[in-house]
């Protein structure tokens, strides 16, 4: 789908994106992804040839009255959390 | 027959005593929430997750008297075309157990094809109902965007996906769509065009005078046996009084690239919620720590849970999506993909001015052998060439068995105008 003008993807670039996405990767994954991303991003680059099209997306804001309804109970909301304390979710420390 | 591994959880959920689906079993894809019954999305991340509420479509199945007989296997978070990326192992194709059932709703289609369920629900983000329907020799419908509520569907790419029915016949698939379609106050993207529908009644096989457009770009490049079976089916429709015209859609050449940019970008945002705090694999379990205090700060703890909880295809798509949205690349990839989406919509509008319905092979290839595609993700992405344009254009499409090539099922896809479900159901029923 593309000529030789492929963006090279370095291992550092993969690590930077993985860091942004909060996904740890091992060295093997970094190497494999760098190689695979090059081919996929070369496909993405071909979008550069897409012409501009006049389009009017039929988007509308959907509004509703803010009425109180029954939702999940606190117990139900917490039922899938492995770490809770005093009826709250317990997360890792911030820094 | 070999164990197909069509289900992740086999558990019976009874519906109302009577209704249009009384006495019918329905397999529900495991990314659709079922109250009190595990919903894993085929992922280690959600192993053991038990939703405290039902998806709207599940409520509608129960109200219609259906018995849900299990949660169907799927590619992890819907990301795949083979059902091999499931954390719970691959599903086998009941037609040929050395081959994949297609994906990502492979468990749903395999269950129906093998008679393990009368009907099934899948979800279709870029072909995930139609591809497995084609590979397993059954019928699958991707409804017009907004026709079916997505409330309770675990999101992968919101702007593209719809829940859709899988069944042995066009009429049964349309009847299941009648049950699940319709507006829902819990999903603001739903429309009322599906309220009180009777799509099943359109399965009358009457294509006399119907104009069928074939986008040449969606036939070129397909496997020879698939193309032959496709044209035989078009001949059959002509014999029944349909008229065939060629149409051209140059934009579809960019559909796969545009689809993957948009789907991956939306996925990178949607799947950010899986950090192990409110549900899903926690950093303590993932990192084998004694206590949360050992897991580091929240960035470190989340990254640990996500490394362990997500499989390779999900990581690949989250990372590529994050990349496409990152500073310096957003306009070049995401912005351009939106332009391509508008272009594709325009091409469909023009083609559907010339024809009542469009037709193509659903999949350009016959079912893959197990393991064939996992090594090279890009090859897998290209197999979605004929299905993804439909999601980008928000249109309805159906895959119906068109015959066989080398003993393997070939699916034919009909694409209709917005809310043209009756037309695609009618056209598809003429091939049964």
């Amino acid at each position: 789908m593309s000529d030789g003008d492929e963006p090279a993807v370095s291992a550092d670039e993969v690590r930077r994106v993985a860091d942004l996405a909060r996904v740890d990767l091992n060295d093997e994954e970094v190497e494999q992804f760098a190689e695979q991303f090059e081919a996929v991003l070369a496909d993405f680059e071909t979008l550069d040839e897409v012409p501009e099209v006049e389009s009017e997306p039929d988007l509308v804001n959907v509004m509703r009255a803010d009425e109180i309804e029954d939702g999940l109970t606190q117990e139900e909301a917490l039922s899938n959390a492995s770490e809770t304390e005093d009826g709250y979710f317990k997360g890792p420390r911030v820094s | 027959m070999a164990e197909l591994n069509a289900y992740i959880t086999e558990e019976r959920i009874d519906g109302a005593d009577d209704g249009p689906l009384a006495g019918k079993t329905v397999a529900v894809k495991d990314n659709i929430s079922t109250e009190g019954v595990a919903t894993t999305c085929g992922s280690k991340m959600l192993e053991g997750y038990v939703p405290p509420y039902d998806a709207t479509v599940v409520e509608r199945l129960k109200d219609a008297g259906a018995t849900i007989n299990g949660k169907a296997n799927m590619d992890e978070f819907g990301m795949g075309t083979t059902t091999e990326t499931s954390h719970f192992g691959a599903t086998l194709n009941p037609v040929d157990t050395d081959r994949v059932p297609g994906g990502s709703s492979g468990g749903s289609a395999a269950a129906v094809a093998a008679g393990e369920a009368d009907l099934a629900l899948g979800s279709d983000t870029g072909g995930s109902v139609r591809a497995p329907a084609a590979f397993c020799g059954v019928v699958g419908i991707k409804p017009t965007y907004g026709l079916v509520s997505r409330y309770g569907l675990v999101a992968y790419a919101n702007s593209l996906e719809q829940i859709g029915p899988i069944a042995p016949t066009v009429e049964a698939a349309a009847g299941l769509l009648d049950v699940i379609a319709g507006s829902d106050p819990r999903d603001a993207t739903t429309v009322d065009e599906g309220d009180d529908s009777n799509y099943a009644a359109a399965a009358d096989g009457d294509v006399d005078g119907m104009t069928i457009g074939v986008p040449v770009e969606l036939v070129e490049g397909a496997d020879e046996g698939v193309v032959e079976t496709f044209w035989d089916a078009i001949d059959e429709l002509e014999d029944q009084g349909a008229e065939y015209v060629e149409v051209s859609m140059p934009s579809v050449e960019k559909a796969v690239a545009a689809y993957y940019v948009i789907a991956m970008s939306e996925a990178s945002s949607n799947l950010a919620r899986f950090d192990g705090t409110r549900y899903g694999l926690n950093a303590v379990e993932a990192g084998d720590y004694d206590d949360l205090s050992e897991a580091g700060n929240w960035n470190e703890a989340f990254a640990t849970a996500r490394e362990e909880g997500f499989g390779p295809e999900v990581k690949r798509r989250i990372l590529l999506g994050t990349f496409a949205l990152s500073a310096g690349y957003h306009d070049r990839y995401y912005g351009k993909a939106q332009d391509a989406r508008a272009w594709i919509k325009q091409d469909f509008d023009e083609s559907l001015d010339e024809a009542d319905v469009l037709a193509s092979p659903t999949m350009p290839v016959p079912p893959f052998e197990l393991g064939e595609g996992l090594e090279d993700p890009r090859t897998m992405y290209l197999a979605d060439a004929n299905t993804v344009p439909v999601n980008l254009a928000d249109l309805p499409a159906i895959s119906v068995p068109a015959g066989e090539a080398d003993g393997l099922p070939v699916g034919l896809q009909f694409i209709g105008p917005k809310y043209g479900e009756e037309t695609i159901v009618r056209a598809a029923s003429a091939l049964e």
Side-chain angles (χ1 to χ4, degrees), chain B residues 80-98:
Chain B
T81 309
T82 66
T83 312
E84 292 173 295
T85 72
S86 170
H87 173 65
F88 304 96
T91 294
L92 309 183
N93 189 327
V95 179
D96 178 345
T97 52
D98 291 330

Side-chain angles (χ1 to χ4, degrees), chain B residues 62-206:
Chain B
K62 288 156 88 172
D63 289 347
T67 300
I68 294 168
N69 68 333
K71 301 301 294 291
N73 200 5
M74 57 181 284
D75 280 300
E76 188 179 358
F77 286 103
M79 299 180 185
T81 309
T82 66
T83 312
E84 292 173 295
T85 72
S86 170
H87 173 65
F88 304 96
T91 294
L92 309 183
N93 189 327
V95 179
D96 178 345
T97 52
D98 291 330
R99 294 184 184 262
V100 304
S104 67
S105 313
S108 300
V112 170
E116 292 183 9
D118 295 319
L119 305 162
L121 291 184
S123 64
D124 191 314
T125 310
S128 284
V129 162
R130 291 161 286 157
F135 278 5
C136 293
V138 293
V139 177
I141 301 176
K142 182 263 164 198
T144 305
Y145 188 78
L147 198 78
V148 178
S149 169
R150 289 177 293 108
Y151 179 74
L153 171 70
V154 181
Y156 155 24
N158 323 50
S159 82
L160 299 163
E161 58 208 1
Q162 277 286 286
I163 293 170
I166 295 175
T169 66
V170 172
E171 187 179 9
L176 181 51
L177 182 58
D178 285 323
V179 167
I180 60 171
S183 51
D184 177 12
R186 288 177 151 144
D187 175 357
T189 64
T190 53
V191 294
D192 56 18
E193 273 78 357
D195 296 356
D196 307 313
S197 65
N198 191 356
Y199 302 126
D204 56 13
D206 181 9

Side-chain angles (χ1 to χ4, degrees), chain B residues 316-334:
Chain B
R316 201 150 36 229
R317 295 195 191 191
I318 290 174
L319 263 55
L320 282 164
T322 305
F323 184 78
L325 292 176
S326 65
Y329 294 97
H330 179 278
D331 292 348
R332 188 157 140 199
Y333 295 139
Y334 190 76

Side-chain angles (χ1 to χ4, degrees), chain B residues 10 21 42 71 114 119 144 163 245 275 293 317 342 396 400 402 432:
Chain B
E10 289 193 68
L21 296 181
K71 301 301 294 291
L119 305 162
T144 305
I163 293 170
V245 293
D275 58 26
S293 63
R317 295 195 191 191
V400 60
E432 293 186 302

Side-chain angles (χ1 to χ4, degrees), chain A residues 13 17 21-22 24 29 36-37 41 43-47 49 53 58 80-82 89 91-93, chain B residues 49-50 254 261 277-279 282 292 297-299 303 306-307 315-316 319 332-333 336 346 378 418:
Chain A
E13 190 104 39
V17 175
R22 310 283 187 273
D24 280 345
E29 286 175 308
Q36 292 169 340
F37 287 4
L41 292 175
D43 288 345
F44 289 2
E45 288 289 325
T46 66
L47 292 171
E49 302 151 13
V53 170
D58 45 352
N80 281 288
S82 53
F89 296 112
R93 61 187 160 79
Chain B
Y49 167 71
V50 179
K254 301 298 178 201
V261 169
T277 302
R278 291 156 298 162
Y279 36 69
N282 186 274
L292 195 56
N297 70 31
W298 66 5
N299 288 329
R306 290 159 66 81
E307 175 184 29
K315 288 179 187 170
R316 201 150 36 229
L319 263 55
R332 188 157 140 199
Y333 295 139
K336 278 286 174 187
Q346 189 185 61
R378 184 171 168 268
K418 205 169 181 183

